[in-house]
Short mmCIF file of all heavy atoms in Angstrom, two decimals:
data_model
loop_
_atom_site.label_atom_id
_atom_site.label_comp_id
_atom_site.label_asym_id
_atom_site.label_seq_id
_atom_site.Cartn_x
_atom_site.Cartn_y
_atom_site.Cartn_z
N ASP A 6 0.84 -1.18 0.00
CA ASP A 6 0.00 0.00 0.00
C ASP A 6 0.89 1.24 0.00
O ASP A 6 2.11 1.16 0.06
CB ASP A 6 -0.96 0.00 1.20
CG ASP A 6 -0.23 -0.17 2.53
OD1 ASP A 6 0.90 0.32 2.66
OD2 ASP A 6 -0.80 -0.79 3.44
N ASP A 7 0.25 2.42 -0.07
CA ASP A 7 1.02 3.66 -0.16
C ASP A 7 1.94 3.85 1.04
O ASP A 7 3.10 4.25 0.91
CB ASP A 7 0.08 4.86 -0.28
CG ASP A 7 -0.62 4.90 -1.63
OD1 ASP A 7 -0.15 4.22 -2.55
OD2 ASP A 7 -1.62 5.63 -1.75
N GLU A 8 1.42 3.56 2.25
CA GLU A 8 2.23 3.73 3.45
C GLU A 8 3.40 2.76 3.45
O GLU A 8 4.53 3.13 3.77
CB GLU A 8 1.36 3.50 4.70
CG GLU A 8 2.12 3.68 6.00
CD GLU A 8 1.25 3.43 7.23
OE1 GLU A 8 0.05 3.15 7.06
OE2 GLU A 8 1.79 3.50 8.34
N GLY A 9 3.13 1.50 3.09
CA GLY A 9 4.20 0.51 3.05
C GLY A 9 5.24 0.84 2.00
O GLY A 9 6.44 0.65 2.22
N THR A 10 4.79 1.35 0.85
CA THR A 10 5.73 1.75 -0.20
C THR A 10 6.65 2.84 0.30
O THR A 10 7.88 2.79 0.11
CB THR A 10 4.96 2.24 -1.44
OG1 THR A 10 4.19 1.16 -1.98
CG2 THR A 10 5.90 2.76 -2.51
N SER A 11 6.08 3.84 0.95
CA SER A 11 6.90 4.94 1.47
C SER A 11 7.87 4.44 2.54
O SER A 11 9.04 4.86 2.57
CB SER A 11 5.99 6.03 2.07
OG SER A 11 5.21 6.63 1.06
N GLN A 12 7.41 3.53 3.40
CA GLN A 12 8.27 3.00 4.46
C GLN A 12 9.47 2.25 3.86
O GLN A 12 10.60 2.44 4.31
CB GLN A 12 7.47 2.07 5.37
CG GLN A 12 6.53 2.77 6.32
CD GLN A 12 5.75 1.78 7.18
OE1 GLN A 12 5.71 0.58 6.90
NE2 GLN A 12 5.13 2.29 8.22
N VAL A 13 9.21 1.44 2.87
CA VAL A 13 10.30 0.66 2.27
C VAL A 13 11.31 1.58 1.60
O VAL A 13 12.53 1.45 1.80
CB VAL A 13 9.75 -0.37 1.27
CG1 VAL A 13 10.88 -0.94 0.40
CG2 VAL A 13 9.06 -1.51 2.00
N TRP A 14 10.82 2.55 0.81
CA TRP A 14 11.77 3.43 0.11
C TRP A 14 12.48 4.37 1.07
O TRP A 14 13.66 4.68 0.87
CB TRP A 14 11.06 4.21 -0.99
CG TRP A 14 10.75 3.37 -2.18
CD1 TRP A 14 9.54 3.15 -2.75
CD2 TRP A 14 11.68 2.59 -2.95
NE1 TRP A 14 9.64 2.30 -3.82
CE2 TRP A 14 10.95 1.94 -3.96
CE3 TRP A 14 13.05 2.37 -2.89
CZ2 TRP A 14 11.54 1.10 -4.90
CZ3 TRP A 14 13.65 1.54 -3.81
CH2 TRP A 14 12.90 0.91 -4.81
N ASP A 15 11.81 4.80 2.14
CA ASP A 15 12.50 5.61 3.16
C ASP A 15 13.62 4.80 3.79
O ASP A 15 14.73 5.31 4.03
CB ASP A 15 11.51 6.06 4.24
CG ASP A 15 10.58 7.17 3.76
OD1 ASP A 15 10.88 7.76 2.70
OD2 ASP A 15 9.57 7.42 4.44
N THR A 16 13.35 3.51 4.04
CA THR A 16 14.36 2.64 4.62
C THR A 16 15.53 2.45 3.66
O THR A 16 16.70 2.55 4.05
CB THR A 16 13.75 1.26 4.96
OG1 THR A 16 12.74 1.43 5.95
CG2 THR A 16 14.82 0.31 5.47
N VAL A 17 15.22 2.19 2.39
CA VAL A 17 16.28 2.00 1.40
C VAL A 17 17.15 3.25 1.30
O VAL A 17 18.39 3.17 1.26
CB VAL A 17 15.67 1.65 0.03
CG1 VAL A 17 16.76 1.64 -1.05
CG2 VAL A 17 14.99 0.29 0.08
N LYS A 18 16.51 4.40 1.28
CA LYS A 18 17.27 5.65 1.17
C LYS A 18 18.19 5.87 2.37
O LYS A 18 19.30 6.39 2.23
CB LYS A 18 16.30 6.83 1.02
CG LYS A 18 15.53 6.83 -0.29
CD LYS A 18 14.44 7.90 -0.32
CE LYS A 18 13.61 7.80 -1.58
NZ LYS A 18 12.50 8.79 -1.61
N GLN A 19 17.74 5.43 3.55
CA GLN A 19 18.55 5.60 4.75
C GLN A 19 19.74 4.66 4.77
O GLN A 19 20.86 5.07 5.09
CB GLN A 19 17.69 5.37 5.99
CG GLN A 19 16.65 6.44 6.25
CD GLN A 19 15.70 6.07 7.37
OE1 GLN A 19 15.93 5.12 8.11
NE2 GLN A 19 14.61 6.84 7.51
N ILE A 20 19.50 3.40 4.42
CA ILE A 20 20.57 2.40 4.56
C ILE A 20 21.45 2.31 3.32
O ILE A 20 22.51 1.66 3.36
CB ILE A 20 19.99 1.01 4.90
CG1 ILE A 20 19.06 0.51 3.78
CG2 ILE A 20 19.23 1.07 6.21
CD1 ILE A 20 19.68 -0.38 2.78
N ALA A 21 21.04 2.93 2.23
CA ALA A 21 21.77 2.75 0.98
C ALA A 21 22.40 4.03 0.46
O ALA A 21 22.72 4.13 -0.72
CB ALA A 21 20.83 2.18 -0.08
N GLN A 22 22.63 5.00 1.33
CA GLN A 22 23.21 6.26 0.88
C GLN A 22 24.56 6.06 0.22
O GLN A 22 24.90 6.73 -0.75
CB GLN A 22 23.33 7.23 2.06
CG GLN A 22 22.00 7.69 2.61
CD GLN A 22 22.15 8.71 3.74
OE1 GLN A 22 23.26 9.21 3.98
NE2 GLN A 22 21.08 9.03 4.42
N ASP A 23 25.35 5.12 0.73
CA ASP A 23 26.68 4.88 0.17
C ASP A 23 26.75 3.56 -0.58
O ASP A 23 27.84 3.08 -0.90
CB ASP A 23 27.73 4.89 1.28
CG ASP A 23 27.46 3.84 2.35
OD1 ASP A 23 26.34 3.29 2.38
OD2 ASP A 23 28.37 3.57 3.16
N LYS A 24 25.59 2.95 -0.86
CA LYS A 24 25.57 1.67 -1.56
C LYS A 24 25.18 1.86 -3.02
O LYS A 24 24.56 2.85 -3.41
CB LYS A 24 24.57 0.71 -0.90
CG LYS A 24 24.98 0.22 0.49
CD LYS A 24 23.99 -0.81 1.00
CE LYS A 24 24.35 -1.29 2.41
NZ LYS A 24 25.63 -2.02 2.40
N THR A 25 25.54 0.87 -3.81
CA THR A 25 25.11 0.83 -5.21
C THR A 25 23.74 0.16 -5.29
O THR A 25 23.54 -0.90 -4.69
CB THR A 25 26.13 0.05 -6.05
OG1 THR A 25 27.44 0.59 -5.85
CG2 THR A 25 25.76 0.10 -7.52
N LEU A 26 22.82 0.76 -6.01
CA LEU A 26 21.49 0.19 -6.18
C LEU A 26 21.14 0.11 -7.65
O LEU A 26 21.37 1.05 -8.41
CB LEU A 26 20.43 1.06 -5.49
CG LEU A 26 20.03 0.70 -4.07
CD1 LEU A 26 21.10 1.14 -3.10
CD2 LEU A 26 18.70 1.35 -3.72
N ILE A 27 20.57 -1.03 -8.04
CA ILE A 27 20.00 -1.18 -9.38
C ILE A 27 18.56 -1.63 -9.16
O ILE A 27 18.32 -2.69 -8.57
CB ILE A 27 20.78 -2.18 -10.24
CG1 ILE A 27 22.25 -1.76 -10.33
CG2 ILE A 27 20.16 -2.27 -11.63
CD1 ILE A 27 23.11 -2.69 -11.15
N ILE A 28 17.62 -0.83 -9.63
CA ILE A 28 16.22 -1.00 -9.28
C ILE A 28 15.37 -1.21 -10.53
O ILE A 28 15.49 -0.47 -11.51
CB ILE A 28 15.70 0.24 -8.53
CG1 ILE A 28 16.57 0.57 -7.32
CG2 ILE A 28 14.23 0.06 -8.11
CD1 ILE A 28 16.36 1.98 -6.79
N VAL A 29 14.51 -2.23 -10.47
CA VAL A 29 13.43 -2.37 -11.44
C VAL A 29 12.14 -2.05 -10.69
O VAL A 29 11.85 -2.65 -9.67
CB VAL A 29 13.36 -3.80 -12.02
CG1 VAL A 29 12.09 -3.97 -12.85
CG2 VAL A 29 14.59 -4.09 -12.87
N GLU A 30 11.39 -1.08 -11.19
CA GLU A 30 10.19 -0.65 -10.47
C GLU A 30 9.25 0.08 -11.42
O GLU A 30 9.68 0.92 -12.21
CB GLU A 30 10.59 0.28 -9.31
CG GLU A 30 9.44 0.80 -8.46
CD GLU A 30 8.70 -0.30 -7.74
OE1 GLU A 30 7.83 -0.93 -8.37
OE2 GLU A 30 8.98 -0.53 -6.55
N HIS A 31 7.96 -0.29 -11.36
CA HIS A 31 6.95 0.43 -12.13
C HIS A 31 6.40 1.62 -11.35
O HIS A 31 5.98 2.61 -11.94
CB HIS A 31 5.80 -0.51 -12.51
CG HIS A 31 6.15 -1.50 -13.58
ND1 HIS A 31 6.60 -1.12 -14.83
CD2 HIS A 31 6.13 -2.85 -13.59
CE1 HIS A 31 6.83 -2.19 -15.56
NE2 HIS A 31 6.55 -3.26 -14.83
N LYS A 32 6.36 1.51 -10.01
CA LYS A 32 5.84 2.60 -9.17
C LYS A 32 7.00 3.57 -8.90
O LYS A 32 7.71 3.44 -7.92
CB LYS A 32 5.28 2.03 -7.87
CG LYS A 32 4.07 1.14 -8.07
CD LYS A 32 3.81 0.23 -6.89
CE LYS A 32 3.58 0.97 -5.61
NZ LYS A 32 3.23 0.06 -4.49
N ILE A 33 7.16 4.54 -9.77
CA ILE A 33 8.39 5.33 -9.77
C ILE A 33 8.30 6.62 -8.98
O ILE A 33 9.32 7.28 -8.76
CB ILE A 33 8.82 5.65 -11.22
CG1 ILE A 33 7.74 6.49 -11.92
CG2 ILE A 33 9.11 4.37 -11.99
CD1 ILE A 33 8.14 6.94 -13.32
N ASN A 34 7.11 7.02 -8.55
CA ASN A 34 6.96 8.35 -7.95
C ASN A 34 7.83 8.56 -6.71
O ASN A 34 8.31 9.66 -6.46
CB ASN A 34 5.49 8.59 -7.59
CG ASN A 34 4.62 8.77 -8.83
OD1 ASN A 34 5.13 9.07 -9.90
ND2 ASN A 34 3.33 8.54 -8.69
N GLU A 35 8.03 7.49 -5.91
CA GLU A 35 8.78 7.61 -4.67
C GLU A 35 10.29 7.77 -4.89
O GLU A 35 11.00 8.23 -4.01
CB GLU A 35 8.53 6.39 -3.78
CG GLU A 35 7.13 6.29 -3.22
CD GLU A 35 6.97 7.09 -1.94
OE1 GLU A 35 8.00 7.55 -1.39
OE2 GLU A 35 5.82 7.27 -1.49
N ILE A 36 10.77 7.38 -6.07
CA ILE A 36 12.23 7.32 -6.25
C ILE A 36 12.75 8.09 -7.44
O ILE A 36 13.97 8.22 -7.60
CB ILE A 36 12.70 5.85 -6.36
CG1 ILE A 36 11.98 5.13 -7.51
CG2 ILE A 36 12.52 5.13 -5.05
CD1 ILE A 36 12.53 3.74 -7.79
N VAL A 37 11.85 8.60 -8.28
CA VAL A 37 12.32 9.18 -9.54
C VAL A 37 13.23 10.38 -9.31
O VAL A 37 14.18 10.62 -10.08
CB VAL A 37 11.10 9.56 -10.42
CG1 VAL A 37 10.30 10.70 -9.80
CG2 VAL A 37 11.56 9.93 -11.82
N GLU A 38 13.02 11.15 -8.24
CA GLU A 38 13.87 12.30 -7.97
C GLU A 38 15.11 11.91 -7.18
O GLU A 38 15.99 12.76 -6.97
CB GLU A 38 13.07 13.36 -7.19
CG GLU A 38 11.85 13.90 -7.93
CD GLU A 38 12.24 14.63 -9.20
OE1 GLU A 38 13.37 15.16 -9.25
OE2 GLU A 38 11.42 14.67 -10.15
N TRP A 39 15.18 10.67 -6.74
CA TRP A 39 16.28 10.22 -5.87
C TRP A 39 17.37 9.49 -6.64
O TRP A 39 18.55 9.60 -6.31
CB TRP A 39 15.71 9.33 -4.77
CG TRP A 39 16.73 8.72 -3.86
CD1 TRP A 39 17.56 9.37 -2.99
CD2 TRP A 39 17.01 7.33 -3.70
NE1 TRP A 39 18.34 8.48 -2.31
CE2 TRP A 39 18.03 7.21 -2.72
CE3 TRP A 39 16.50 6.18 -4.28
CZ2 TRP A 39 18.54 5.97 -2.33
CZ3 TRP A 39 17.00 4.95 -3.89
CH2 TRP A 39 18.01 4.87 -2.92
N VAL A 40 16.99 8.76 -7.68
CA VAL A 40 17.98 7.98 -8.42
C VAL A 40 18.88 8.91 -9.23
O VAL A 40 18.50 10.02 -9.61
CB VAL A 40 17.32 6.94 -9.35
CG1 VAL A 40 16.54 5.93 -8.53
CG2 VAL A 40 16.41 7.61 -10.38
N ASP A 41 20.11 8.45 -9.48
CA ASP A 41 21.08 9.24 -10.24
C ASP A 41 20.89 9.08 -11.75
O ASP A 41 21.26 9.98 -12.52
CB ASP A 41 22.51 8.79 -9.89
CG ASP A 41 22.80 8.88 -8.41
OD1 ASP A 41 22.56 9.95 -7.83
OD2 ASP A 41 23.27 7.87 -7.83
N ARG A 42 20.31 7.97 -12.14
CA ARG A 42 20.39 7.61 -13.55
C ARG A 42 19.22 6.70 -13.91
O ARG A 42 18.81 5.86 -13.10
CB ARG A 42 21.72 6.90 -13.77
CG ARG A 42 22.02 6.36 -15.15
CD ARG A 42 23.38 5.69 -15.07
NE ARG A 42 23.75 4.95 -16.27
CZ ARG A 42 24.73 4.06 -16.32
NH1 ARG A 42 25.47 3.82 -15.24
NH2 ARG A 42 25.01 3.43 -17.45
N ILE A 43 18.70 6.85 -15.11
CA ILE A 43 17.65 5.98 -15.62
C ILE A 43 18.13 5.33 -16.91
O ILE A 43 18.64 6.01 -17.81
CB ILE A 43 16.35 6.76 -15.87
CG1 ILE A 43 15.73 7.18 -14.53
CG2 ILE A 43 15.35 5.92 -16.66
CD1 ILE A 43 14.44 7.96 -14.67
N ILE A 44 17.99 4.02 -16.98
CA ILE A 44 18.32 3.26 -18.18
C ILE A 44 17.04 2.64 -18.71
O ILE A 44 16.29 2.01 -17.95
CB ILE A 44 19.36 2.16 -17.88
CG1 ILE A 44 20.68 2.79 -17.41
CG2 ILE A 44 19.59 1.28 -19.11
CD1 ILE A 44 21.70 1.76 -16.95
N VAL A 45 16.76 2.82 -19.99
CA VAL A 45 15.53 2.32 -20.60
C VAL A 45 15.86 1.22 -21.58
O VAL A 45 16.73 1.39 -22.45
CB VAL A 45 14.77 3.45 -21.31
CG1 VAL A 45 13.47 2.91 -21.91
CG2 VAL A 45 14.47 4.60 -20.36
N LEU A 46 15.17 0.08 -21.44
CA LEU A 46 15.30 -1.03 -22.37
C LEU A 46 14.13 -1.03 -23.35
O LEU A 46 12.99 -0.76 -22.97
CB LEU A 46 15.32 -2.37 -21.63
CG LEU A 46 16.49 -2.64 -20.68
CD1 LEU A 46 16.35 -4.04 -20.08
CD2 LEU A 46 17.82 -2.51 -21.39
N SER A 47 14.42 -1.37 -24.59
CA SER A 47 13.37 -1.54 -25.59
C SER A 47 12.72 -2.91 -25.42
O SER A 47 13.23 -3.75 -24.65
CB SER A 47 13.98 -1.44 -26.99
OG SER A 47 14.76 -2.60 -27.26
#
């Protein structure tokens, strides 16, 4: 749900500040401004 989605991404942002992340996600609103880079596959 929306609350759970926010909780998970808040957690990821806290614990992964210095980590490398590669994410596949359709629900992009929570992270689109946070990620450094977007790669699009055809």
Side-chain angles (χ1 to χ4, degrees):
D6 54 34
D7 290 343
E8 181 181 358
T10 297
S11 295
Q12 286 179 346
V13 166
W14 285 123
D15 286 346
T16 297
V17 172
K18 292 172 185 177
Q19 290 172 11
I20 62 96
Q22 293 183 10
D23 59 346
K24 291 184 182 295
T25 306
L26 266 76
I27 304 179
I28 306 163
V29 171
E30 180 64 278
H31 287 302
K32 295 160 59 176
I33 61 176
N34 290 340
E35 291 275 349
I36 57 172
V37 67
E38 299 296 333
W39 176 65
V40 297
D41 304 309
R42 177 181 172 195
I43 290 180
I44 298 174
V45 181
L46 296 182
S47 71

